[in-house]
Amino acid sequence: MPRFAPEPVHDPDAFLGRWVYDNPALAARRELFTRWLTDPTPREDIAEQLGVRLGELLRSFNSTAPLGDPLPFGYRSAPFATVSMAGTCDDVADGRWPLFGTPMTLRCYLRDLSLLPQDMVEAADWNFMDAGLPGFLGYLYGSVHDGTLYLAGLQSDLGVRYSYLFQGRGGGTEVRVGDDVVERSAEEMVAAYGEYVPVLRRTFQRYWIQIMLGAAVTWARSAGVDRIGILRFPFRSEEDVQGHVVRRVYAELPERISGVDETVRVGDESHLYSVAPIASVESYLGTRFSRP
């Protein structure tokens, strides 16, 4: 049975006050964050109203703390690195990030930049999360509390939507180009990047969930964090389908890491996580995962 955390109920307003609204490093962006957290206007419309490019806007929400040093790791002999940031990202506004503890955002990068063209990986970075570093693949976000990394999200548009981007599924597609998101035809994308799809699949796409989890383990080991939790949240109707990526990450993955359900109370809400010791998560990743 799930157990309730023994500590007092966490205060989400205190979290936002400390890490966003009253954070001296974000003082110049307080008004912008207030709008981001309270205004349902689509992000593209906010950028247009403010007269800034979408990339400039989203970087304001995704660059909230100093970056850590790259921490290398490997999966299936491919070289990766994770870069930590003890701050929030734009997902703080999506309603699925339980606001407690110390925020943590982890970015994942491909270290061998000769494998894939930079503009190919950039095409899928619609959230402008690369922090200006090449080889960006995806990111994780959540909170650290009491020796546990509580993950609220594991995301990779490159891993999930590669077939729409580079194999012509679904016709035209939106891609990131510099600081803008623009429409490109399927034919154009296939002509430019189709030859790299086998490398993408072999290196990252088939294993993106495990690689993201490997990034979390790599950072946790470096930080002395003992456990990793993965959020279990109620699915939307379109997500509650066998094989859907949301089910794979937030229902099937918690089972595979042999986690124990733990409930964390934040304000009036209770959030269920599957929490496992680092050793159990590493056991799930197996010998394909390696650290220096």
Side-chain angles (χ1 to χ4, degrees), residues 57-284:
L57 176 73
L58 290 180
R59 286 197 182 94
S60 295
F61 305 132
N62 293 325
S63 299
T64 59
L67 299 179
D69 294 327
L71 300 173
F73 67 98
Y75 194 82
R76 296 185 74 255
S77 300
F80 302 96
T82 185
V83 175
S84 64
M85 182 183 75
T88 61
C89 63
D90 63 75
D91 289 278
V92 76
D94 73 359
R96 284 183 166 175
W97 186 339
L99 304 179
F100 70 100
T102 300
M104 181 57 58
T105 302
L106 301 174
R107 294 168 168 90
C108 184
Y109 299 87
L110 182 64
R111 283 191 288 140
D112 186 348
L113 301 179
S114 69
L115 292 175
L116 298 171
Q118 170 60 19
D119 51 353
M120 182 182 186
V121 298
E122 183 177 294
D125 183 21
W126 297 327
N127 287 324
F128 296 86
M129 279 290 298
D130 62 3
L133 302 175
F136 176 73
L137 301 172
Y139 65 104
L140 311 92
Y141 63 90
S143 299
V144 181
H145 178 71
D146 196 23
T148 301
L149 172 60
Y150 291 92
L151 291 173
L154 291 75
Q155 299 194 48
S156 172
D157 286 324
L158 182 66
V160 173
R161 297 170 179 163
Y162 83 101
S163 63
Y164 294 94
L165 288 166
F166 310 124
Q167 292 187 308
R169 306 267 179 94
T173 186
E174 289 186 329
V175 301
R176 175 190 158 189
V177 178
D179 273 348
D180 295 308
V181 174
V182 299
E183 184 80 14
R184 289 287 185 263
S185 70
E187 294 78 11
E188 182 178 351
M189 297 301 291
V190 171
Y193 305 113
E195 66 179 291
Y196 298 101
V197 167
V199 176
L200 171 63
R201 295 192 68 199
R202 184 172 63 249
T203 303
F204 178 69
Q205 188 275 328
R206 289 178 178 172
Y207 316 99
W208 76 267
I209 295 174
Q210 291 79 13
I211 291 167
M212 291 288 106
L213 196 57
V217 168
T218 298
W219 176 81
R221 285 293 192 191
S222 75
V225 170
D226 301 321
R227 307 187 305 162
I228 291 179
I230 299 173
L231 182 65
R232 295 180 182 267
F233 53 77
F235 296 143
R236 302 183 180 113
S237 59
E238 67 272 15
E239 298 167 342
D240 196 11
V241 177
Q242 191 69 31
H244 193 285
V245 64
V246 172
R247 284 190 58 87
R248 289 169 56 203
V249 173
Y250 303 103
E252 297 171 16
L253 185 59
E255 301 297 333
R256 292 176 178 174
I257 65 172
S258 301
V260 175
D261 283 349
E262 178 178 322
T263 302
V264 177
R265 299 179 63 195
V266 182
D268 296 329
E269 299 181 346
S270 295
H271 302 276
L272 184 63
Y273 289 83
S274 178
V275 183
I278 292 291
S280 178
V281 181
E282 287 185 319
S283 177
Y284 161 69

Side-chain angles (χ1 to χ4, degrees), residues 14-23 26 64 86-88 101-103:
F15 177 96
L16 288 174
R18 179 178 183 182
W19 298 107
V20 179
Y21 294 133
D22 300 327
N23 184 343
L26 305 182
T64 59
T88 61
T102 300

